[in-house]
mmCIF file of all heavy atoms in Angstrom:
data_model
loop_
_atom_site.group_PDB
_atom_site.id
_atom_site.type_symbol
_atom_site.label_atom_id
_atom_site.label_comp_id
_atom_site.label_asym_id
_atom_site.label_seq_id
_atom_site.Cartn_x
_atom_site.Cartn_y
_atom_site.Cartn_z
ATOM 1 N N ALA X 74 28.262 28.463 73.398
ATOM 2 C CA ALA X 74 28.939 29.599 74.116
ATOM 3 C C ALA X 74 29.587 29.067 75.386
ATOM 4 O O ALA X 74 28.883 28.287 76.211
ATOM 5 C CB ALA X 74 27.897 30.676 74.366
ATOM 6 N N ARG X 75 30.860 29.485 75.738
ATOM 7 C CA ARG X 75 31.356 29.156 76.999
ATOM 8 C C ARG X 75 31.284 30.060 78.021
ATOM 9 O O ARG X 75 31.511 29.841 79.146
ATOM 10 C CB ARG X 75 32.965 28.926 76.611
ATOM 11 C CG ARG X 75 33.327 27.801 75.713
ATOM 12 C CD ARG X 75 34.736 27.468 75.600
ATOM 13 N NE ARG X 75 35.501 28.622 75.179
ATOM 14 C CZ ARG X 75 35.723 29.033 73.886
ATOM 15 N NH1 ARG X 75 35.206 28.271 72.979
ATOM 16 N NH2 ARG X 75 36.395 30.050 73.545
ATOM 17 N N ASP X 76 31.019 31.325 77.621
ATOM 18 C CA ASP X 76 30.752 32.378 78.651
ATOM 19 C C ASP X 76 29.843 33.485 78.128
ATOM 20 O O ASP X 76 29.543 33.433 76.889
ATOM 21 C CB ASP X 76 32.086 32.914 79.196
ATOM 22 C CG ASP X 76 32.893 33.525 78.108
ATOM 23 O OD1 ASP X 76 32.570 34.305 77.297
ATOM 24 O OD2 ASP X 76 34.152 33.078 78.171
ATOM 25 N N PHE X 77 29.453 34.442 78.865
ATOM 26 C CA PHE X 77 28.369 35.309 78.487
ATOM 27 C C PHE X 77 29.210 36.383 77.376
ATOM 28 O O PHE X 77 28.484 36.954 76.558
ATOM 29 C CB PHE X 77 27.960 36.269 79.546
ATOM 30 C CG PHE X 77 27.003 35.470 80.469
ATOM 31 C CD1 PHE X 77 27.337 35.282 81.796
ATOM 32 C CD2 PHE X 77 25.855 34.882 79.944
ATOM 33 C CE1 PHE X 77 26.543 34.421 82.627
ATOM 34 C CE2 PHE X 77 24.984 34.107 80.824
ATOM 35 C CZ PHE X 77 25.334 33.877 82.098
ATOM 36 N N ALA X 78 30.474 36.495 77.407
ATOM 37 C CA ALA X 78 31.261 37.332 76.383
ATOM 38 C C ALA X 78 31.025 36.735 75.050
ATOM 39 O O ALA X 78 31.114 37.455 74.057
ATOM 40 C CB ALA X 78 32.632 37.445 76.802
ATOM 41 N N GLN X 79 30.625 35.529 74.863
ATOM 42 C CA GLN X 79 30.507 34.919 73.582
ATOM 43 C C GLN X 79 29.041 34.953 73.082
ATOM 44 O O GLN X 79 28.680 34.606 72.065
ATOM 45 C CB GLN X 79 30.915 33.438 73.579
ATOM 46 C CG GLN X 79 32.499 33.321 73.723
ATOM 47 C CD GLN X 79 32.967 31.800 73.379
ATOM 48 O OE1 GLN X 79 32.240 30.910 73.797
ATOM 49 N NE2 GLN X 79 34.118 31.697 72.765
ATOM 50 N N VAL X 80 28.312 35.512 74.027
ATOM 51 C CA VAL X 80 26.938 35.738 73.640
ATOM 52 C C VAL X 80 26.676 37.179 73.158
ATOM 53 O O VAL X 80 26.153 37.562 72.086
ATOM 54 C CB VAL X 80 25.873 35.587 74.825
ATOM 55 C CG1 VAL X 80 24.476 35.926 74.484
ATOM 56 C CG2 VAL X 80 26.010 34.135 75.376
ATOM 57 N N SER X 81 27.339 38.091 73.954
ATOM 58 C CA SER X 81 27.347 39.448 73.483
ATOM 59 C C SER X 81 28.520 40.240 73.943
ATOM 60 O O SER X 81 29.176 39.950 74.859
ATOM 61 C CB SER X 81 26.078 40.215 74.152
ATOM 62 O OG SER X 81 26.064 41.573 74.027
ATOM 63 N N GLY X 82 28.946 41.076 73.041
ATOM 64 C CA GLY X 82 30.149 42.073 73.410
ATOM 65 C C GLY X 82 29.751 43.326 74.154
ATOM 66 O O GLY X 82 30.605 44.044 74.487
ATOM 67 N N ASP X 83 28.469 43.511 74.291
ATOM 68 C CA ASP X 83 27.940 44.638 75.021
ATOM 69 C C ASP X 83 28.128 44.511 76.501
ATOM 70 O O ASP X 83 27.491 43.555 77.040
ATOM 71 C CB ASP X 83 26.473 44.995 74.624
ATOM 72 C CG ASP X 83 25.853 46.227 75.205
ATOM 73 O OD1 ASP X 83 26.407 46.666 76.240
ATOM 74 O OD2 ASP X 83 24.922 46.755 74.524
ATOM 75 N N PRO X 84 28.852 45.365 77.169
ATOM 76 C CA PRO X 84 29.022 45.097 78.562
ATOM 77 C C PRO X 84 27.800 45.181 79.359
ATOM 78 O O PRO X 84 27.627 44.431 80.303
ATOM 79 C CB PRO X 84 29.995 46.357 78.942
ATOM 80 C CG PRO X 84 30.573 46.676 77.661
ATOM 81 C CD PRO X 84 29.652 46.450 76.573
ATOM 82 N N ARG X 85 26.803 45.997 78.955
ATOM 83 C CA ARG X 85 25.584 46.094 79.716
ATOM 84 C C ARG X 85 24.830 44.766 79.669
ATOM 85 O O ARG X 85 24.396 44.275 80.675
ATOM 86 C CB ARG X 85 24.720 47.156 79.178
ATOM 87 C CG ARG X 85 23.532 47.373 80.095
ATOM 88 C CD ARG X 85 22.349 48.422 79.410
ATOM 89 N NE ARG X 85 21.189 48.461 80.087
ATOM 90 C CZ ARG X 85 20.183 49.200 79.645
ATOM 91 N NH1 ARG X 85 20.223 49.724 78.574
ATOM 92 N NH2 ARG X 85 19.130 49.172 80.545
ATOM 93 N N VAL X 86 24.909 44.097 78.387
ATOM 94 C CA VAL X 86 24.191 42.842 78.345
ATOM 95 C C VAL X 86 24.876 41.737 79.054
ATOM 96 O O VAL X 86 24.232 40.934 79.787
ATOM 97 C CB VAL X 86 24.064 42.497 76.818
ATOM 98 C CG1 VAL X 86 23.524 41.072 76.566
ATOM 99 C CG2 VAL X 86 23.171 43.511 76.017
ATOM 100 N N ARG X 87 26.264 41.726 78.908
ATOM 101 C CA ARG X 87 27.031 40.674 79.500
ATOM 102 C C ARG X 87 26.799 40.745 81.064
ATOM 103 O O ARG X 87 26.550 39.768 81.800
ATOM 104 C CB ARG X 87 28.555 40.819 79.253
ATOM 105 C CG ARG X 87 28.860 40.456 77.856
ATOM 106 C CD ARG X 87 30.363 40.134 77.894
ATOM 107 N NE ARG X 87 31.208 41.144 78.518
ATOM 108 C CZ ARG X 87 31.820 42.238 77.845
ATOM 109 N NH1 ARG X 87 31.560 42.418 76.604
ATOM 110 N NH2 ARG X 87 32.459 43.201 78.485
ATOM 111 N N GLU X 88 26.915 41.853 81.679
ATOM 112 C CA GLU X 88 26.687 42.084 83.072
ATOM 113 C C GLU X 88 25.281 41.688 83.650
ATOM 114 O O GLU X 88 25.117 41.086 84.587
ATOM 115 C CB GLU X 88 27.040 43.484 83.432
ATOM 116 C CG GLU X 88 28.565 43.828 83.323
ATOM 117 C CD GLU X 88 28.860 45.198 83.437
ATOM 118 O OE1 GLU X 88 28.001 46.025 83.723
ATOM 119 O OE2 GLU X 88 29.976 45.740 83.048
ATOM 120 N N ALA X 89 24.326 42.185 82.720
ATOM 121 C CA ALA X 89 22.913 41.815 83.088
ATOM 122 C C ALA X 89 22.680 40.300 83.177
ATOM 123 O O ALA X 89 21.933 39.746 83.929
ATOM 124 C CB ALA X 89 21.925 42.452 82.173
ATOM 125 N N LEU X 90 23.299 39.682 82.190
ATOM 126 C CA LEU X 90 23.075 38.115 82.019
ATOM 127 C C LEU X 90 23.787 37.390 83.206
ATOM 128 O O LEU X 90 23.160 36.564 83.879
ATOM 129 C CB LEU X 90 23.578 37.699 80.761
ATOM 130 C CG LEU X 90 22.791 38.071 79.501
ATOM 131 C CD1 LEU X 90 23.601 37.415 78.161
ATOM 132 C CD2 LEU X 90 21.413 37.673 79.492
ATOM 133 N N ALA X 91 24.997 37.886 83.506
ATOM 134 C CA ALA X 91 25.766 37.286 84.624
ATOM 135 C C ALA X 91 25.172 37.445 85.872
ATOM 136 O O ALA X 91 25.194 36.728 86.833
ATOM 137 C CB ALA X 91 27.229 37.957 84.545
ATOM 138 N N ASP X 92 24.494 38.646 86.060
ATOM 139 C CA ASP X 92 23.749 38.978 87.336
ATOM 140 C C ASP X 92 22.569 38.132 87.471
ATOM 141 O O ASP X 92 22.085 37.836 88.703
ATOM 142 C CB ASP X 92 23.296 40.434 87.273
ATOM 143 C CG ASP X 92 22.601 40.845 88.585
ATOM 144 O OD1 ASP X 92 23.228 40.721 89.716
ATOM 145 O OD2 ASP X 92 21.530 41.353 88.406
ATOM 146 N N ARG X 93 21.904 37.566 86.421
ATOM 147 C CA ARG X 93 20.671 36.801 86.660
ATOM 148 C C ARG X 93 20.818 35.301 86.426
ATOM 149 O O ARG X 93 19.961 34.453 86.944
ATOM 150 C CB ARG X 93 19.697 37.341 85.527
ATOM 151 C CG ARG X 93 19.133 38.673 85.945
ATOM 152 C CD ARG X 93 18.405 39.370 84.791
ATOM 153 N NE ARG X 93 17.738 40.499 85.149
ATOM 154 C CZ ARG X 93 18.260 41.695 85.267
ATOM 155 N NH1 ARG X 93 19.718 41.861 85.113
ATOM 156 N NH2 ARG X 93 17.627 42.850 85.517
ATOM 157 N N TYR X 94 21.844 34.909 85.615
ATOM 158 C CA TYR X 94 22.004 33.441 85.342
ATOM 159 C C TYR X 94 23.201 32.840 85.953
ATOM 160 O O TYR X 94 24.265 33.574 85.908
ATOM 161 C CB TYR X 94 22.022 33.173 83.891
ATOM 162 C CG TYR X 94 20.710 33.581 83.168
ATOM 163 C CD1 TYR X 94 20.357 34.812 82.729
ATOM 164 C CD2 TYR X 94 19.640 32.498 83.109
ATOM 165 C CE1 TYR X 94 19.114 35.127 82.171
ATOM 166 C CE2 TYR X 94 18.457 32.840 82.535
ATOM 167 C CZ TYR X 94 18.211 34.103 82.109
ATOM 168 O OH TYR X 94 16.987 34.450 81.475
ATOM 169 N N ARG X 95 23.094 31.761 86.558
ATOM 170 C CA ARG X 95 24.224 31.062 87.170
ATOM 171 C C ARG X 95 25.446 30.813 86.305
ATOM 172 O O ARG X 95 26.540 31.045 86.659
ATOM 173 C CB ARG X 95 23.787 29.673 87.819
ATOM 174 C CG ARG X 95 24.942 28.979 88.706
ATOM 175 C CD ARG X 95 24.315 27.842 89.173
ATOM 176 N NE ARG X 95 23.651 26.926 88.280
ATOM 177 C CZ ARG X 95 23.001 25.802 88.508
ATOM 178 N NH1 ARG X 95 22.777 25.529 89.767
ATOM 179 N NH2 ARG X 95 22.397 25.080 87.497
ATOM 180 N N SER X 96 25.166 30.488 85.072
ATOM 181 C CA SER X 96 26.210 30.312 83.946
ATOM 182 C C SER X 96 25.595 30.365 82.683
ATOM 183 O O SER X 96 24.273 30.433 82.544
ATOM 184 C CB SER X 96 26.952 28.942 84.085
ATOM 185 O OG SER X 96 25.931 27.962 83.757
ATOM 186 N N VAL X 97 26.296 30.514 81.571
ATOM 187 C CA VAL X 97 25.794 30.510 80.270
ATOM 188 C C VAL X 97 24.988 29.272 79.891
ATOM 189 O O VAL X 97 24.085 29.385 79.070
ATOM 190 C CB VAL X 97 26.899 30.918 79.277
ATOM 191 C CG1 VAL X 97 27.872 29.602 79.097
ATOM 192 C CG2 VAL X 97 26.399 31.251 77.925
ATOM 193 N N ASP X 98 25.280 28.212 80.522
ATOM 194 C CA ASP X 98 24.601 27.018 80.267
ATOM 195 C C ASP X 98 23.129 27.056 80.778
ATOM 196 O O ASP X 98 22.234 26.345 80.549
ATOM 197 C CB ASP X 98 25.330 25.835 80.781
ATOM 198 C CG ASP X 98 26.401 25.464 79.851
ATOM 199 O OD1 ASP X 98 26.518 25.670 78.654
ATOM 200 O OD2 ASP X 98 27.508 25.108 80.470
ATOM 201 N N ASP X 99 22.895 27.936 81.712
ATOM 202 C CA ASP X 99 21.475 28.172 82.384
ATOM 203 C C ASP X 99 20.723 29.279 81.560
ATOM 204 O O ASP X 99 19.576 29.392 81.876
ATOM 205 C CB ASP X 99 21.629 28.624 83.797
ATOM 206 C CG ASP X 99 22.272 27.562 84.685
ATOM 207 O OD1 ASP X 99 21.713 26.459 84.761
ATOM 208 O OD2 ASP X 99 23.370 27.875 85.344
ATOM 209 N N LEU X 100 21.365 29.914 80.626
ATOM 210 C CA LEU X 100 20.596 30.904 79.901
ATOM 211 C C LEU X 100 19.529 30.197 79.006
ATOM 212 O O LEU X 100 19.772 29.328 78.297
ATOM 213 C CB LEU X 100 21.667 31.694 78.924
ATOM 214 C CG LEU X 100 21.082 32.772 78.082
ATOM 215 C CD1 LEU X 100 20.504 33.848 78.987
ATOM 216 C CD2 LEU X 100 22.308 33.359 77.214
ATOM 217 N N GLU X 101 18.470 30.802 79.076
ATOM 218 C CA GLU X 101 17.196 30.201 78.417
ATOM 219 C C GLU X 101 17.159 30.721 77.055
ATOM 220 O O GLU X 101 17.696 31.829 76.758
ATOM 221 C CB GLU X 101 15.976 30.537 79.144
ATOM 222 C CG GLU X 101 15.596 31.941 79.449
ATOM 223 C CD GLU X 101 14.722 32.145 80.590
ATOM 224 O OE1 GLU X 101 13.627 31.557 80.455
ATOM 225 O OE2 GLU X 101 14.985 32.892 81.475
ATOM 226 N N LEU X 102 16.504 29.983 76.169
ATOM 227 C CA LEU X 102 16.415 30.281 74.717
ATOM 228 C C LEU X 102 15.983 31.625 74.464
ATOM 229 O O LEU X 102 16.515 32.350 73.610
ATOM 230 C CB LEU X 102 15.611 29.209 73.950
ATOM 231 C CG LEU X 102 15.371 29.450 72.427
ATOM 232 C CD1 LEU X 102 16.752 29.382 71.667
ATOM 233 C CD2 LEU X 102 14.401 28.461 71.832
ATOM 234 N N TYR X 103 14.787 31.988 74.992
ATOM 235 C CA TYR X 103 14.112 33.189 74.577
ATOM 236 C C TYR X 103 15.032 34.416 74.843
ATOM 237 O O TYR X 103 15.126 35.328 74.079
ATOM 238 C CB TYR X 103 12.816 33.352 75.341
ATOM 239 C CG TYR X 103 12.051 34.501 74.855
ATOM 240 C CD1 TYR X 103 11.323 34.500 73.620
ATOM 241 C CD2 TYR X 103 11.819 35.654 75.581
ATOM 242 C CE1 TYR X 103 10.698 35.597 73.138
ATOM 243 C CE2 TYR X 103 11.145 36.746 75.153
ATOM 244 C CZ TYR X 103 10.479 36.757 73.951
ATOM 245 O OH TYR X 103 9.791 37.775 73.443
ATOM 246 N N VAL X 104 15.681 34.487 76.013
ATOM 247 C CA VAL X 104 16.527 35.609 76.321
ATOM 248 C C VAL X 104 17.844 35.544 75.561
ATOM 249 O O VAL X 104 18.347 36.506 74.915
ATOM 250 C CB VAL X 104 17.040 35.512 77.880
ATOM 251 C CG1 VAL X 104 18.006 36.546 78.210
ATOM 252 C CG2 VAL X 104 15.702 35.752 78.673
ATOM 253 N N GLY X 105 18.420 34.290 75.375
ATOM 254 C CA GLY X 105 19.624 34.119 74.622
ATOM 255 C C GLY X 105 19.430 34.588 73.169
ATOM 256 O O GLY X 105 20.330 35.244 72.518
ATOM 257 N N LEU X 106 18.359 34.326 72.623
ATOM 258 C CA LEU X 106 18.068 34.760 71.236
ATOM 259 C C LEU X 106 18.331 36.213 70.969
ATOM 260 O O LEU X 106 18.836 36.650 70.017
ATOM 261 C CB LEU X 106 16.776 34.249 70.769
ATOM 262 C CG LEU X 106 16.454 32.763 70.467
ATOM 263 C CD1 LEU X 106 14.882 32.529 70.280
ATOM 264 C CD2 LEU X 106 17.182 32.452 69.116
#
């Protein structure tokens, strides 16, 4: 995934991930799943 939009199309999910993780490459497995 190149950005959080490729993880989820749900705006609430994208914004919450972007608020907590520096980038999509920092996203941990358990949350990303």
Side-chain angles (χ1 to χ4, degrees):
R75 296 189 301 275
D76 54 50
F77 292 117
Q79 290 190 327
V80 178
S81 174
D83 185 331
R85 182 186 182 190
V86 172
R87 289 201 311 267
E88 291 167 11
L90 295 179
D92 181 55
R93 288 166 172 79
Y94 293 90
R95 182 176 54 188
S96 75
V97 70
D98 287 322
D99 294 303
L100 181 61
E101 55 203 305
L102 174 67
Y103 188 71
V104 174
L106 284 168

